[in-house]
Amino acid sequence: MLVNNNIYNHMSAQFVPKKRETTHKSSELKAVYSNMSKLNKTSPLYLVSMSDKKQEHVIDIKEQAITLRDVAENFSNPDSRVYSEKTLYSSDESSVTGSFRRQPKDALPPELTISVDRLASEQVNVGEYLRSAGLDLKPGSQSFAIDTVDGLSQFNISVSEDDTNIEVQNRVAEAVNNRDIGINASIVRDGATSAIMLSSAETGASAASSGLHFSLKDENGGQGIVDTLGLSNIKQRPQNSEFTINGEAHSSTSNHISINQIVELDFHSVSKEPVDIQFVPDTRIAKEQLENFVDAYNKLVGLAEKEGPVNIGSRSLLKDVSGMIKKHTDSLEKAGIHVDETGRLHMPDSDETNLFKEEKLAELFRDNSEFRKDINTATDRLTLDPIAYINKLIVTYPNKEDKTAGATYTQSLYSGLMYNNYA
């Protein structure tokens, strides 16, 4: 093949190669060298005018073919990120959702079956509903204490003759919230009446013998603010969540649990039926890879449509590209990848999670499948000699009787692409 120095370092500033995660063994690189040498020995000498447009065309063919090959390898390799990075799938997200605290290194069970029988709840006290505009407390200094598992907190509230019940209730709620003792205070209204609601920040039974998170009492010398406002009225006692994992009963003070410091689950409601939790490949990574595959293939089809008439000495890009797909249309459809009337591919409309669950994509791209073999054959041809897909004139035919091997990298017009990181 003719050596054309104009292709060296072509588009070095404008065309930046994609970053790739693939690496090659020395044996693989040796095979590439041998294939190039064999190709150059058997190729005619061409006369090619390498315009910028043609060089860009060649680079695009090479780039998209590499993407097709890399994606196919990722889907066939069980250790690739497509399968190794997991996400959690719940059959009923209204009841149970979850995530990974960290990506698991060890094997996970294929699935968990969880039944939520009771949610963990906080302690809730709701006071007496008093007329908001009235005043049921005697003016003066009102003292009370709240006892929690962390200790006793004392409060002093001043009440004047001009105050109303709602003003005193707001003053109490603000004092409790400002103290930050694990109790949330708010005002609830019912028509012209209002009451104070106190709720524990923590759910589940506390470590106290009563199981309560807090209790209230009037201080000596006080005038009964706890009794008058009904602050000790317990509307809901704290209780633990109760659930089963694969039929084994468990209990927790929280609706958020951790399994082996890897899987984290959140309970949102009592489950009507058992919830299946599955650990499936992260569909975001798989979707991105599949999009790359579809996009690369469709770009090759577009390049083939732009190549124009094929001269003697040039291969048909459309024929070689479409050959990967034509006889596998049914298999692609089963995996949710659609082929339209123009020969282009479209992403699946179905849930990608189901594609992994049913191993449709893994089966399509598995090693030694006919689809993989055809992809490898086509991409090897496209990456090894993309110059074959541009118009050129044959000057001389090769001397088939010459058994000597030439210098592989200096004979090939295509060699310049290697110095731009496209080999």
Side-chain angles (χ1 to χ4, degrees), residues 31-50:
V32 172
Y33 180 92
S34 298
N35 289 335
M36 288 182 64
S37 179
K38 181 179 179 181
L39 177 67
N40 286 332
K41 286 176 61 178
T42 58
S43 295
L45 178 62
Y46 293 113
L47 178 62
V48 184
S49 175
M50 288 301 293

Side-chain angles (χ1 to χ4, degrees), residues 182-315:
I183 300 174
N184 301 314
S186 59
I187 306 299
V188 290
R189 293 176 176 270
D190 184 9
T193 64
S194 56
I196 293 180
M197 182 171 70
L198 303 174
S199 59
S200 62
E202 298 291 333
T203 58
S206 75
S209 58
S210 64
L212 298 175
H213 287 278
F214 61 88
S215 60
L216 299 93
K217 63 179 180 179
D218 286 311
E219 292 283 75
N220 293 333
Q223 300 179 28
I225 191 171
V226 171
D227 290 340
T228 301
L229 299 184
L231 302 182
S232 291
N233 297 343
I234 301 175
K235 183 177 182 179
Q236 175 180 281
R237 295 183 65 87
Q239 60 183 7
N240 296 338
S241 62
E242 293 182 354
F243 55 95
T244 63
I245 300 179
N246 293 341
E248 183 177 345
H250 296 272
S251 178
S252 173
T253 59
S254 173
N255 291 314
H256 178 86
I257 67 170
S258 175
I259 301 177
N260 296 333
Q261 300 299 311
I262 297 178
V263 179
E264 296 188 343
L265 298 176
D266 290 291
F267 303 146
H268 306 290
S269 66
V270 173
S271 57
K272 297 179 180 179
E273 56 185 27
V275 180
D276 292 329
I277 301 295
Q278 299 172 353
F279 310 112
V280 298
D282 192 335
T283 55
R284 293 172 300 177
I285 297 174
K287 184 177 181 181
E288 177 185 333
Q289 289 289 308
L290 203 56
E291 285 175 345
N292 289 341
F293 184 88
V294 169
D295 184 60
Y297 180 83
N298 290 341
K299 284 182 178 178
L300 283 173
V301 174
L303 290 170
E305 291 175 344
K306 294 178 182 179
E307 69 179 341
V310 178
N311 291 347
I312 297 175
S314 300
R315 294 185 62 91

Side-chain angles (χ1 to χ4, degrees), residues 3 8 29 32-33 36 40 407-412 415-416 418-419:
V3 177
Y8 288 179
L29 296 176
V32 172
Y33 180 92
M36 288 182 64
N40 286 332
T408 299
Y409 297 128
T410 59
Q411 287 182 334
S412 178
S415 62
M418 291 188 297
Y419 300 105

Side-chain angles (χ1 to χ4, degrees), residues 396-413:
T396 63
Y397 287 94
N399 182 3
K400 296 185 178 181
E401 295 180 358
D402 185 3
K403 303 299 182 181
T404 60
T408 299
Y409 297 128
T410 59
Q411 287 182 334
S412 178
L413 175 65

